[in-house]
Amino acid sequence: MEKMILRMPDYCSEFKCIADKCRDNCCIGWEIDIDKKSEEYYLSCDGEFGNKLRNNIQKGKPGCFILGEKERCPFLNKKNLCEIIINLGEDKLCHICSEHPRYYEWYNGVKEGGTGLCCEESARIIISRDKPFSYIESETCDDSNEEYDENLYKCLFSARNKIINHLQNRGYTFFERINDVLMYAENLQYQTDNGEYTVPDIIHSAEIRKTDIKKFLEFLCTLEMLDPNREKYLRSCILLSDKTAKTEEKFKNKYPETELYLENVAVYFIWRHFLKGVFSEEFYSAVFFTALSCEVIRFLSVCCYHEDGKFDITDFIRIAKDYSKETEYSEKNMSVLLDEAYNNNYFLL
Ligand code: SF4
């Protein structure tokens, strides 16, 4: 293992799982793989709890916990507390359980990550911030593996800083900012495809592209769904899209703080997905994904207000978290969504 820099957003240190207070516990509905070292330890445990461990682990490569009724982890007790922590201690959690909702990416000499939007508490921390984004570097030991062009890395690292700064420039509306970075990324992609790695500044554009939200929601309905009720929900929002014109204006005036929530979500998506473009040499799609995702989350927020007559940050957190779970946490969906970046049908000039 080599010494590396660990680079994480400053808010990650605030994260602590809220366990039994969580309304969408990650120990329900997800397959939980067990790393080899933890599996060996679990299978060697004595007594009644050791027997429970042995009876609830399905051996395989990797092994996993055998989910119970409603896809609950067999070690999640009636109070929604983890029996592995209670009986063996927090340090005995398997790798996935101890790391979730943290995510990482490995570059040369740098391990970069954050906490994901799929977790209710992490989403609350990300969305409720009112400080400019910043990250902290510390030292860690790990291995970097994939090869990439160092010049492209430097270019994308610098471009990402510019994009994040522009997304936080409140001199423009959020809609203008996201529009600017979308066009910027399109031009930068064209430029790097032609071997030019200088990083221009972001220019505010007078050209505004509106999203065809109905079309994009129809597309989302064709994806793999984690929640069996998701398609029905999305279709009900598609039906609402013809009726929400008046509500949109009212929503904008009544809940101006939504702009800040969207800004935080956009910065999160860019931080998490943009720099990965060094591996595929393709990064415009990450900005496309950010722009459309923010528009979907905004529109679903309007629908929530249209239906309930009220709205607050808890609704926004739920909507953003569910969206993240259904897209970012399905490799298949993410790959289909990124490919869609080259289908220009979603933007109307
Ligand atoms: S989703 Fe987040 S807060 Fe909820 S149980 Fe999982 S890690 Fe804890």
Side-chain angles (χ1 to χ4, degrees):
M1 280 206 188
E2 55 179 302
K3 274 194 178 169
M4 297 182 95
I5 291 171
L6 176 66
R7 189 188 289 146
M8 303 283 278
D10 62 353
Y11 54 73
C12 293
S13 56
E14 275 177 55
F15 176 77
K16 180 139 187 34
C17 170
I18 53 172
D20 55 327
K21 291 181 193 68
C22 181
R23 281 159 301 182
D24 189 11
N25 198 302
C26 58
C27 309
I28 304 169
W30 300 82
E31 219 169 82
I32 308 165
D33 290 342
I34 313 167
D35 57 283
K36 194 130 196 63
K37 203 171 143 208
S38 304
E39 187 180 343
E40 277 170 14
Y41 173 72
Y42 293 156
L43 295 176
S44 73
C45 287
D46 299 327
E48 209 181 310
F49 192 65
N51 287 337
K52 183 166 180 180
L53 280 162
R54 275 180 288 282
N55 291 336
N56 285 284
I57 288 176
Q58 186 174 315
K59 289 187 192 148
K61 287 182 182 166
C64 61
F65 293 124
I66 300 168
L67 299 183
E69 214 184 308
K70 295 192 177 148
E71 300 195 304
R72 284 176 72 91
C73 170
F75 298 102
L76 189 66
N77 71 16
K78 283 187 183 130
K79 291 180 178 163
N80 274 3
L81 292 170
C82 172
E83 287 180 353
I84 291 184
I85 297 182
I86 294 169
N87 286 282
L88 306 174
E90 200 164 344
D91 61 324
K92 295 296 184 299
L93 284 174
C94 64
H95 187 72
I96 284 191
C97 293
S98 62
E99 284 294 344
H100 185 81
R102 294 166 193 86
Y103 63 84
Y104 299 103
E105 203 60 57
W106 288 260
Y107 302 99
N108 290 338
V110 181
K111 179 178 174 182
E112 191 181 273
T115 56
L117 198 62
C118 67
C119 152
E120 182 175 305
E121 175 60 3
S122 167
R124 185 194 66 74
I125 293 168
I126 293 167
I127 290 165
S128 61
R129 273 176 74 85
D130 194 12
K131 282 198 288 191
F133 177 85
S134 71
Y135 57 81
I136 291 171
E137 291 187 341
S138 56
E139 209 176 80
T140 189
C141 281
D142 215 317
D143 292 318
S144 44
N145 39 29
E146 281 190 68
E147 298 272 310
Y148 54 80
D149 180 338
E150 235 359 276
N151 289 327
L152 182 62
Y153 176 85
K154 283 184 194 144
C155 169
L156 295 194
F157 185 76
S158 161
R160 183 176 66 173
N161 286 343
K162 285 182 194 274
I163 290 175
I164 289 178
N165 285 340
H166 195 77
L167 285 172
Q168 298 178 111
N169 179 353
R170 300 192 192 153
Y172 303 115
T173 64
F174 175 72
F175 182 59
E176 288 172 320
R177 286 176 252 162
I178 200 88
N179 190 63
D180 290 341
V181 298
L182 192 65
M183 287 204 235
Y184 175 74
E186 200 174 13
N187 291 332
L188 191 66
Q189 181 72 65
Y190 180 77
Q191 195 193 291
T192 57
D193 286 349
N194 289 292
E196 170 62 55
Y197 295 137
T198 51
V199 186
D201 287 335
I202 301 178
I203 300 164
H204 176 56
S205 167
E207 185 189 321
I208 293 286
R209 298 176 194 193
K210 249 189 125 275
T211 312
D212 189 339
I213 189 71
K214 215 167 164 181
K215 196 176 258 178
F216 193 62
L217 287 174
E218 288 281 3
F219 169 73
L220 290 181
C221 287
T222 66
L223 299 182
E224 171 181 86
M225 307 272 172
L226 189 71
D227 173 359
N229 297 317
R230 183 83 181 161
E231 185 178 349
K232 199 171 155 209
Y233 162 66
L234 290 177
R235 294 219 175 270
S236 70
C237 293
I238 293 172
L239 288 177
L240 280 182
S241 64
D242 294 327
K243 302 179 197 158
T244 51
K246 266 192 198 153
T247 319
E248 293 248 0
E249 211 38 45
K250 223 166 147 189
F251 179 84
K252 204 167 137 193
N253 295 330
K254 202 164 173 191
Y255 304 107
E257 62 276 21
T258 311
E259 285 240 326
L260 168 65
Y261 307 156
L262 288 168
E263 173 188 311
N264 287 333
V265 167
V267 170
Y268 158 83
F269 282 138
I270 292 293
W271 173 259
R272 183 166 184 171
H273 299 290
F274 185 80
L275 199 55
K276 285 192 264 185
V278 292
F279 302 117
S280 57
E281 303 193 351
E282 201 288 307
F283 49 85
Y284 166 68
S285 55
V287 184
F288 163 91
F289 171 74
T290 301
L292 280 170
S293 300
C294 287
E295 182 53 14
V296 169
I297 293 168
R298 187 201 64 81
F299 179 73
L300 297 180
S301 301
V302 173
C303 290
C304 170
Y305 171 58
H306 185 86
E307 289 295 82
D308 299 349
K310 56 184 173 51
F311 181 80
D312 63 24
I313 189 168
T314 323
D315 296 311
F316 189 95
I317 291 169
R318 176 182 41 78
I319 290 167
K321 166 192 64 78
D322 289 347
Y323 180 84
S324 163
K325 278 173 77 172
E326 294 287 347
T327 56
E328 290 185 293
Y329 287 80
S330 156
E331 240 176 76
K332 194 171 153 199
N333 286 351
M334 224 23 218
S335 142
V336 176
L337 268 160
L338 295 177
D339 284 349
E340 273 303 295
Y342 298 98
N343 180 356
N344 282 324
N345 286 338
Y346 300 112
F347 299 111
L348 312 167
L349 282 183

